[in-house]
Amino acid sequence: MAVQTSPRTPTGSSSTSTASPRTPTGQPWTEKWGGLLFVAPFLVLFGFFLLWPTLSGLWNSFFNKSLAGVGGEFLGLANWREVFHDPAVWSSLKNTLVFTAMSTPPLVLTALVMALLANRTGVFGWFLRFAYFAPFVLPATVVTLIWVWIYQPGFGLVNGLLTSAGFAEIDWLNTENRAMLAVVITTVWWTVGFNFLLYLAALQGIPEHLYEAAAIDGAGDRQKLFRITLPLLSRTTGLIVVLQLVASLKIFDQIYLMTVGGPNFSTRPIIQYIYESGFTSYRIGYASAISYLFFVVIVIVSIAQFKLFSGRKEDLR
Amino acid sequence: MHVRRPAPTGVHRVSSRKPRLSAGAVYVLLMAVAVLFVGPFVWLVLAALKTRDEWASVPTHILPRQAQWENFTHALTDINFPAYAVNSLFLSTMYAVLVTASSAVVGFGFARLRGSGKRGLFLVLLSTMMLPQILTLLPTYVLFSRLGLVNTYWPWVLWGVASSPYLIFLFRQFFAAIPSELEDAAIIDGCGWGRIFVRIFLPLSRPVLLTSFLLSFVWTWGDYIAPALLLDVDHTTLSVAITAWYRDPHGNAIPTVQAAAAALYVLPALLIFLFAQRYFIRSIVSSGVKG
């Protein structure tokens, strides 16, 4: 994202300059500590809500710690050894990766196509933007309430339409190979609006004179799309892909509320397994160990991501 | 698929050889997609207007024979709906204001200020975005219960003041793209960073501020896990109240009343966006953010 030089340059600030309090030593103080002051809220967050839980998790992973806080004998690497030999860890990790692979492309591409089409639709523009974005503001509880009813065998909307069109009914959420697809469809409906809006804002910021110049040079619509629009959107695309991958890897809420990981664990994501190990089996130490394995996977995916996009311009200095 | 752009006046439009989508076809397509997106909302409202028998009838019953408005009355009176709505509103507004302010400040710090270790800190920040909330939830709960903050709204204050990695990232990206000539002039004039932030960066960042407020409000409004874990029956929010507490005497959930409650529950979030969105997109564009 780049910003046009705004006409609102701070011309007025010169008049107040004499009154501005400068530290006797001048710049060095702010140079050195001013930045830290600005970042202080993050440091609070980091220390309180992330560093402490994270470190206590690492500590716990070496103990036979239970939710109630009792027990807690030292286990050494036993939890870790168990993680690597637990088939449920690998199958749930696979489910998370499958969900990410199935949901990310439609969530990015659909958003792009919808934004390209909806850009410049005069009168109905506001309605389209609203319709596409509205699901995003719904909480997971309501989204799943609606979609479980839609997928319901017997009196659900989808099966009602299927049977009236003469097709066989499908018990979407209780059939392996169908349940994950159903969750992906729900997720695309729920969250694609956010990516759509980011694309739309980026599109509307592309200056018109570029297209006018291209038209004078005899460029057709196809050339304008591939030579102007898409290249100028590449930064936005990078941002959207990063955010989407992170969001998709964190899949838990929808699946837990729609299928509880079933049928036959075929949709259970890794976070649900961590949750079950911690909150249902009360094995905090073991749950922590799995969390760390998952964290490593996420870091690997994001490093690959950075490598992929660092080839382009400056993305993250 | 192409977007048809109005040909600039006086310039002959060179048509490409490939067949293009006409404006009419684009409209039809967009409207069809819009129907797909609005459909599930309609399904929810229809469920709220049915009788329980109609709701569960096979084959699927699409329209209620007679609108059952008393489902809404039940939704409002079977539980203390208004009180929970006030709780939700208070928590969401407070958190959204705090987290937007703190994230803007931190985003500015990361975008503009020099300091040793800033790069490392930013990488740490990015990696915390990858951490799912559910993983830190239990230790956080233990922390709050030791501090005696369970069943108070203080955790939301702390979360708000502590800023959000996601919003910091959003602000940082936005601020980093603002040309440095703007603040260079101010620095020469002896402006401090605080004043530069308030006078130059904040006025330019209205769209991001609004986006941040909207997103964080909606997160809190819809959050289920944190209030379920931290708040008791009297202090909890709508999200917890509507999912579990509409039951018939046999203890079964009453889906039609649940649907009515859910519709009422999501209405404020939808209205906020409906009112904010035109201003929202227009201001992103007018402030000159480009792709």
Side-chain angles (χ1 to χ4, degrees):
Chain A
M1 288 187 253
V3 168
Q4 282 173 329
T5 323
S6 145
R8 275 180 283 169
T9 39
T11 42
S13 61
S14 58
S15 58
T16 58
S17 66
T18 43
S20 82
R22 294 188 65 167
T23 46
T25 44
Q27 287 299 82
W29 188 87
T30 38
E31 286 271 309
K32 206 162 183 186
W33 300 109
L36 201 64
L37 221 62
F38 269 89
V39 186
F42 166 65
L43 293 176
V44 173
L45 160 95
F46 179 64
F48 246 40
F49 303 124
L50 290 158
L51 191 64
W52 190 77
T54 309
L55 289 180
S56 84
L58 185 62
W59 177 254
N60 287 339
S61 73
F62 297 106
F63 289 84
N64 178 21
K65 191 160 169 87
S66 78
L67 187 60
V70 290
E73 68 208 90
F74 184 70
L75 288 180
L77 290 173
N79 279 333
W80 290 89
R81 218 172 292 130
E82 191 182 340
V83 166
F84 285 97
H85 292 104
D86 184 350
V89 168
W90 299 107
S91 69
S92 57
L93 184 61
K94 194 199 85 191
N95 290 337
T96 292
L97 294 177
V98 166
F99 174 82
T100 306
M102 280 173 79
S103 62
T104 306
L107 278 167
V108 176
L109 290 176
T110 320
L112 176 61
V113 171
M114 274 162 39
L116 285 173
L117 291 176
N119 193 21
R120 341 234 137 197
T121 45
V123 202
F124 292 110
W126 73 269
F127 170 71
L128 292 172
R129 289 196 296 266
F130 181 64
Y132 295 166
F133 188 79
F136 188 76
V137 307
L138 296 189
T141 45
V142 174
V143 168
T144 51
L145 191 74
I146 300 174
W147 281 86
V148 166
W149 290 344
I150 287 176
Y151 289 131
Q152 192 88 38
F155 55 89
L157 181 61
V158 172
N159 282 317
L161 295 175
L162 279 180
T163 46
S164 65
F167 291 101
E169 199 173 87
I170 299 170
D171 188 354
W172 291 90
L173 297 176
N174 289 306
T175 311
E176 280 185 52
N177 304 326
R178 288 281 187 280
M180 190 63 98
L181 180 66
V183 172
V184 168
I185 291 172
T186 300
T187 307
V188 171
W189 177 80
W190 185 20
T191 60
V192 76
F194 185 63
N195 296 346
F196 162 77
L197 221 52
L198 289 179
Y199 268 129
L200 199 63
L203 272 176
Q204 300 195 352
I206 297 177
E208 190 57 36
H209 65 79
L210 289 181
Y211 294 104
E212 285 164 14
I216 292 170
D217 290 345
D221 278 353
R222 169 182 283 265
Q223 281 165 307
K224 286 181 195 166
L225 177 69
F226 285 101
R227 299 282 171 82
I228 301 176
T229 313
L230 292 183
L232 284 176
L233 287 180
S234 66
R235 243 192 103 121
T236 308
T237 303
L239 179 76
I240 290 176
V241 171
V242 175
L243 295 177
Q244 191 54 59
L245 276 177
V246 171
S248 284
L249 285 169
K250 287 191 197 172
I251 176 72
F252 170 66
D253 297 15
Q254 305 97 291
I255 291 183
Y256 192 69
L257 291 165
M258 288 174 81
T259 69
V260 206
N264 194 21
F265 303 118
S266 64
T267 58
R268 178 170 68 180
I270 183 107
I271 291 184
Q272 187 187 334
Y273 188 56
I274 295 169
Y275 179 80
E276 285 167 356
S277 305
F279 288 75
T280 315
S281 312
Y282 305 118
R283 299 183 61 199
I284 296 296
Y286 188 55
S288 304
I290 311 173
S291 312
Y292 273 88
L293 174 78
F294 181 47
F295 188 61
V296 169
V297 170
I298 293 184
V299 168
I300 290 171
V301 170
S302 21
I303 287 174
Q305 181 65 32
F306 283 133
K307 282 265 187 302
L308 215 66
F309 279 97
S310 61
R312 304 191 189 167
K313 298 187 261 176
E314 35 84 76
D315 203 40
L316 290 166
R317 277 184 255 176
Chain B
M1 280 182 263
H2 300 223
V3 180
R4 196 185 247 276
R5 291 174 184 282
T9 40
V11 178
H12 177 65
R13 195 181 171 84
V14 186
S15 60
S16 55
R17 256 165 264 133
K18 290 272 170 186
R20 262 175 292 136
L21 284 176
S22 71
V26 169
Y27 262 110
V28 170
L29 196 66
L30 285 167
M31 280 302 165
V33 179
V35 167
L36 280 179
F37 274 75
V38 174
F41 284 98
V42 176
W43 193 242
L44 177 73
V45 174
L46 286 177
L49 294 173
K50 290 176 187 173
T51 65
R52 272 181 92 168
D53 288 339
E54 285 175 324
W55 181 81
S57 78
V58 182
T60 312
H61 207 95
I62 292 182
L63 291 173
R65 199 166 294 114
Q66 199 184 2
Q68 306 291 318
W69 293 106
E70 69 265 24
N71 285 336
F72 285 92
T73 324
H74 279 292
L76 287 170
T77 52
D78 285 4
I79 66 172
N80 196 349
F81 193 97
Y84 296 121
V86 168
N87 291 351
S88 283
L89 186 68
F90 175 72
L91 267 192
S92 310
T93 311
M94 183 192 67
Y95 174 75
V97 168
L98 288 175
V99 81
T100 298
S102 61
S103 303
V105 170
V106 179
F108 177 74
F110 277 120
R112 275 303 192 264
L113 301 174
R114 275 151 294 186
S116 47
K118 195 185 85 172
R119 221 189 111 103
L121 265 184
F122 193 65
L123 285 177
V124 170
L125 173 95
L126 285 181
S127 66
T128 60
M129 270 170 59
M130 325 270 170
L131 266 179
Q133 185 216 2
I134 193 103
L135 299 185
T136 53
L137 194 67
L138 189 82
T140 311
Y141 175 79
V142 172
L143 183 75
F144 284 139
S145 73
R146 280 193 195 151
L147 294 171
L149 299 180
V150 171
N151 227 356
T152 70
Y153 294 149
W154 283 105
W156 281 265
V157 177
L158 290 175
W159 278 322
V161 171
S163 70
S164 135
Y166 187 82
L167 297 177
I168 295 172
F169 184 65
L170 223 66
F171 277 110
R172 188 259 176 208
Q173 291 298 95
F174 182 82
F175 289 145
I178 292 178
S180 60
E181 293 88 58
L182 283 186
E183 85 240 26
D184 287 346
I187 292 172
I188 291 168
D189 289 343
C191 238
W193 281 113
R195 193 187 295 229
I196 290 173
F197 174 65
V198 173
R199 293 279 175 82
I200 301 176
F201 282 77
L202 278 190
L204 284 174
S205 58
R206 266 194 325 189
V208 201
L209 287 169
L210 195 75
T211 311
S212 166
F213 180 85
L214 183 78
L215 287 175
S216 46
F217 184 93
V218 168
W219 288 338
T220 321
W221 185 261
D223 186 22
Y224 176 84
I225 296 175
L229 212 60
L230 290 168
L231 300 173
D232 70 9
V233 178
D234 291 326
H235 295 86
T236 201
T237 60
L238 268 186
S239 59
V240 177
I242 69 159
T243 32
W245 297 342
Y246 291 106
R247 304 272 157 179
D248 62 16
H250 304 289
N252 298 318
I254 310 170
T256 51
V257 177
Q258 237 179 350
L264 292 173
Y265 166 50
V266 299
L267 198 62
L270 290 175
L271 285 180
I272 287 183
F273 179 66
L274 186 62
F275 286 120
Q277 65 139 344
R278 304 175 75 168
Y279 168 79
F280 177 46
I281 298 206
R282 206 186 309 135
S283 58
I284 293 179
V285 176
S286 67
S287 71
V289 184
K290 287 184 231 150

